[in-house]
């Protein structure tokens, strides 16, 4: 009986031939992006390469899951947002360096880990949602957010949230901890209310007249304007200003890709990682997620382009990661969220 089963299996695989082998080609992705946002990208990858993508999506805890799974982890690739999440994965010891001439050629050095553990595949900027009615200026610096003229006029989510931690860490890297502390105290003094909600809610509160300026990521405004009719009035009541550091550019953060430490399908993982830096993927990613491509020469989504030309600050993202802890400590020291 066993012989018959073995023979039948052999005949089946012989009949299937290369198609059976092709069907076995797969890559396992752990991601913090919502499945519906990244599905079009993975479908395009499968169409281009024949490699099937298995997706596990979560809002938190993927690094811990990979660590607990250890050498048995099925994860090949981790897709994550913000240098905070990226850095946490590296610190958890669940990644390995990527050796890729493609990534080194396409992704600018400031958007890559010097040790090769991560690479950015798209960018978002931390910007100002300003009231169209009450704010006449169209330019602002991050430093100016501490100016007393904005007293009682700024809304923001928790200072400990990873998006704000990235901005604050960039400020520490630019100006040092003492000046960053002084700046955070100034921003706190200008808050209209206790930090709360998310970036969309800051736009809501600006629209409602609770504040004149809200701090948010570039893509949320586009999503409100184009993909959420209930929140479109919040976008319509505000305008996006791309702030800059004095003598610098606009603070940007990354959506990043990492190669899992025990990737069982390493070759396909690298195939996906390099594909994500390709022209096709960069265009799809930019349009699907309303983010800025990291690859030069890719057209920015029209809504995002409508904010004006992005002059990204040249600071290496790795330097922001190195100042995350200092920024978090300062937020607590000045009682920013109290």
């Amino acid at each position: 009986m066993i012989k018959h089963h073995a023979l039948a299996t052999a005949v089946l695989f012989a009949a299937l031939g290369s198609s059976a082998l092709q069907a076995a080609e797969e890559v396992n992705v752990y991601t913090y992006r919502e499945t519906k946002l990244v599905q079009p990208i993975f479908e395009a990858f499968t169409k281009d390469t024949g490699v099937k993508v298995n997706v596990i999506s979560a809002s938190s805890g993927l690094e811990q899951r990979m660590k607990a799974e250890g050498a048995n982890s099925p994860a090949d690739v981790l897709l994550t947002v913000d240098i905070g999440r990226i850095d946490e994965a590296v610190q958890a010891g669940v990644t390995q360096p990527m050796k890729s001439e493609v990534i080194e050629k396409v992704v600018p050095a400031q958007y890559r880990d010097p040790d090769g553990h991560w690479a950015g595949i798209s960018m978002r900027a931390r910007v100002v949602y300003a009231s169209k009615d009450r704010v006449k200026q169209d330019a602002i610096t991050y430093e100016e957010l501490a100016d007393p003229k904005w007293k009682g006029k700024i809304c923001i989510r928790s200072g400990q949230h990873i998006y704000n931690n990235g901005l604050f860490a960039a400020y520490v890297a630019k100006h040092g901890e003492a000046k960053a502390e002084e700046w955070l105290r100034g921003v706190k003094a200008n808050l209209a209310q206790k930090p709360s909600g998310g970036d969309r809610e800051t736009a809501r509160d600006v629209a409602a007249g609770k504040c004149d300026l809200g701090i948010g990521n570039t893509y949320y405004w586009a999503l409100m304007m184009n993909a959420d009719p209930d929140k479109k009035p919040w976008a319509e009541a505000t305008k996006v200003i791309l702030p800059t550091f004095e003598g610098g550019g606009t603070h940007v953060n990354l959506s990043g890709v990492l190669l899992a430490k025990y990737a069982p399908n390493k070759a396909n993982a690298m195939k996906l990682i390099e594909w994500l830096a390709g022209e096709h993927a960069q265009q799809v990613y930019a349009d699907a997620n309303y983010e800025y491509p990291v690859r030069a020469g890719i057209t920015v989504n029209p809504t995002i382009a409508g904010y004006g030309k992005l002059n990204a600050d040249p600071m290496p993202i790795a330097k922001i990661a190195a100042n995350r802890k200092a920024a978090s400590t300062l937020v607590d020291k000045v009682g920013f969220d109290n």
Side-chain angles (χ1 to χ4, degrees):
M1 191 72 180
I2 295 172
K3 285 182 181 178
H4 283 300
H5 277 304
L7 181 61
T9 303
V11 170
L12 177 63
F13 274 97
L16 289 171
S18 60
S19 62
L21 294 173
Q22 192 174 12
E25 290 287 300
E26 61 183 9
V27 62
N28 302 318
V29 176
Y30 284 17
T31 177
Y32 282 118
R33 306 308 298 254
E34 288 180 47
T35 305
K36 65 181 180 182
L37 290 178
V38 290
Q39 203 59 46
I41 296 154
F42 294 147
E43 286 172 1
F45 171 71
T46 300
K47 190 175 180 181
D48 281 357
T49 65
V51 178
K52 180 187 175 190
V53 183
N54 304 311
V55 183
I56 289 180
S57 181
S59 58
S60 64
L62 288 175
E63 303 90 4
Q64 290 84 357
R65 175 172 177 163
M66 290 169 71
K67 192 168 186 175
E69 290 168 343
N72 295 318
S73 177
D76 292 308
V77 171
L78 176 64
L79 269 183
T80 187
V81 293
D82 197 274
I83 188 58
R85 295 264 200 222
I86 293 168
D87 190 47
E88 284 166 10
V90 175
Q91 297 303 324
V94 297
T95 64
Q96 61 175 302
M98 298 178 275
K99 295 178 177 63
S100 167
E101 290 182 8
V102 173
I103 294 298
E104 288 180 14
K105 182 180 177 183
V106 170
V107 182
Q110 74 190 83
Y111 305 134
R112 286 187 272 117
D113 177 29
D115 296 322
H117 280 268
W118 52 264
I121 48 173
S122 62
M123 296 185 294
R124 67 278 299 282
R126 197 93 181 119
V127 298
V128 167
Y129 304 157
S131 167
K132 279 183 180 174
D133 294 336
R134 301 182 301 278
V135 177
K136 300 308 174 192
Q137 66 190 70
D138 292 315
I140 194 169
T141 64
Y142 293 109
E143 288 82 358
E144 189 189 325
L145 295 174
D147 190 315
K149 79 174 186 177
W150 298 112
K151 187 172 180 62
K153 294 183 176 179
I154 297 177
C155 288
I156 193 169
R157 74 196 302 164
S158 167
Q160 290 293 11
H161 190 275
I162 55 170
Y163 298 161
N164 284 332
N165 177 258
L167 172 59
F168 299 166
Y171 202 99
V172 173
K174 283 271 181 192
H175 297 294
E177 289 186 38
K179 285 191 174 179
E181 179 181 340
E182 182 184 346
W183 177 73
L184 279 173
R185 291 188 188 280
V187 176
K188 176 179 166 57
N190 288 342
L191 297 183
Q193 58 193 18
K194 183 178 176 178
S196 63
D199 290 357
R200 291 179 179 90
E201 285 70 35
T202 66
R204 175 197 68 193
D205 291 346
V206 171
K210 293 182 179 179
C211 35
D212 289 354
L213 306 178
I215 311 301
N217 281 352
T218 34
Y219 54 86
Y220 283 117
W221 194 94
L223 286 167
M224 289 186 290
M225 180 61 80
N226 298 336
D228 195 336
D230 291 344
K231 297 179 178 61
K232 188 171 183 177
W234 305 350
E236 290 175 331
T238 57
K239 60 184 177 181
V240 173
I241 301 176
L242 299 175
T244 57
F245 286 108
E246 290 174 0
T250 300
H251 165 68
V252 296
N253 214 313
L254 300 174
S255 290
V257 63
L258 305 96
L259 177 63
K261 185 174 183 178
Y262 299 107
N265 303 292
K266 186 174 178 180
N268 285 339
M270 288 309 302
K271 192 179 288 187
L272 173 60
I273 288 167
E274 292 180 347
W275 184 88
L276 287 169
E279 291 183 12
H280 182 193
Q282 286 284 294
Q283 194 66 68
V284 173
Y285 222 90
D287 283 329
N289 295 318
Y290 294 108
E291 291 192 298
Y292 294 96
V294 294
R295 186 184 183 114
I298 304 298
T299 305
V300 177
N301 179 276
T303 301
I304 300 297
Y307 303 158
K309 181 171 172 52
L310 175 70
N311 172 30
D313 195 74
M315 180 183 297
I317 301 298
K319 194 171 180 183
I320 296 175
N323 285 279
R324 289 181 61 237
K325 187 175 181 182
S328 176
T329 300
L330 287 177
V331 165
D332 285 343
K333 185 176 180 181
V334 306
F336 192 87
D337 286 349
N338 297 346

